[in-house]
Amino acid sequence: MARIAQEPLIVGRVIGEVLDSFTTSMKMTVSYNKKQVFNGHEFFPSTINTKPKVEIDGADMRSFYTLVMTDPDVPGPSDPYLREHLHWIVTDIPGTTDATFGKEIVSYEIPKPNIGIHRFVFVLFKQRARDSVRATPSSRDHFNTRSFASQNDLGLPVAAVYFNAQRETAARRR
């Protein structure tokens, strides 16, 4: 089952460009206004203009998690020279709750793709202990999820999901 769960992340090049291969061991649900994010599905920017709800299921309250959201396609997918652009980091999320119970160390930035179709990736890491994430990024651009995980001794992800979005024209909003 773990391989099937990874398939869309491989096809979408999330595994490879953003993450190393890992085994999903937690259930993470991300939703915008009650619309759940599924790997590779498209959202209109007008529907993702608020902070998403991120729920963690299947853990216990003694475990803590870190959530990272990035866009690996900035400024555009054909030349993503600012890869990855950091949109959000929340640490110390207690198991069986949602990200609102964690500590936001990088505030949420609304996705605003300008050129082409962008991938927005949510990655969940299990922390070794509460307050263990100390290395914070100095910039939103040129962020590297793998390096951040390494600097904070987070290991491989326990869950990940991504969606696609592209610039919304007036005609597409109708």
Side-chain angles (χ1 to χ4, degrees):
M1 178 169 140
R3 181 154 179 79
I4 293 169
Q6 299 302 306
E7 200 74 26
L9 296 172
I10 294 167
V11 171
R13 299 179 334 275
V14 171
I15 291 179
E17 291 182 10
V18 179
L19 303 171
D20 292 326
S21 187
F22 69 97
T23 301
T24 301
S25 59
M26 292 297 306
K27 183 177 183 207
M28 174 178 66
T29 306
V30 178
S31 55
Y32 284 92
N33 301 314
K34 298 184 182 170
K35 289 186 179 180
Q36 187 173 343
V37 172
F38 292 100
N39 284 319
H41 287 206
E42 184 171 355
F43 279 78
F44 292 119
S46 60
T47 64
I48 53 175
N49 59 8
T50 59
K51 197 181 290 188
K53 182 173 186 173
V54 179
E55 297 173 283
I56 303 168
D57 192 20
D60 62 66
M61 293 296 286
R62 295 180 307 262
S63 298
F64 294 92
Y65 297 86
T66 293
L67 175 74
V68 174
M69 178 188 177
T70 70
D71 175 355
D73 300 315
V74 173
S78 62
D79 185 20
Y81 64 85
L82 296 176
R83 173 180 294 163
E84 300 165 52
H85 182 80
L86 179 61
H87 279 269
W88 199 23
I89 297 179
V90 183
T91 65
D92 298 332
I93 305 167
T96 70
T97 64
D98 63 62
T100 58
F101 290 95
K103 187 188 320 176
E104 191 175 65
I105 62 170
V106 174
S107 63
Y108 182 75
E109 182 180 271
I110 296 168
K112 294 178 188 166
N114 285 324
I115 304 164
I117 299 170
H118 289 240
R119 296 166 292 164
F120 294 90
V121 183
F122 293 88
V123 185
L124 188 68
F125 295 95
K126 185 174 183 178
Q127 295 174 206
R128 304 278 182 240
R130 186 180 196 136
D131 294 321
S132 62
V133 176
R134 303 235 182 261
T136 57
S138 57
S139 169
R140 287 185 185 261
D141 289 328
H142 303 290
F143 179 79
N144 187 294
T145 301
R146 287 181 182 105
S147 295
F148 175 78
S150 176
Q151 291 166 355
N152 288 288
D153 196 25
L154 294 171
L156 290 172
V158 294
V161 67
Y162 80 100
F163 68 89
N164 295 317
Q166 60 185 311
R167 187 172 176 190
E168 199 167 356
T169 62
R172 287 185 75 204
R173 278 189 218 116
R174 284 188 233 153

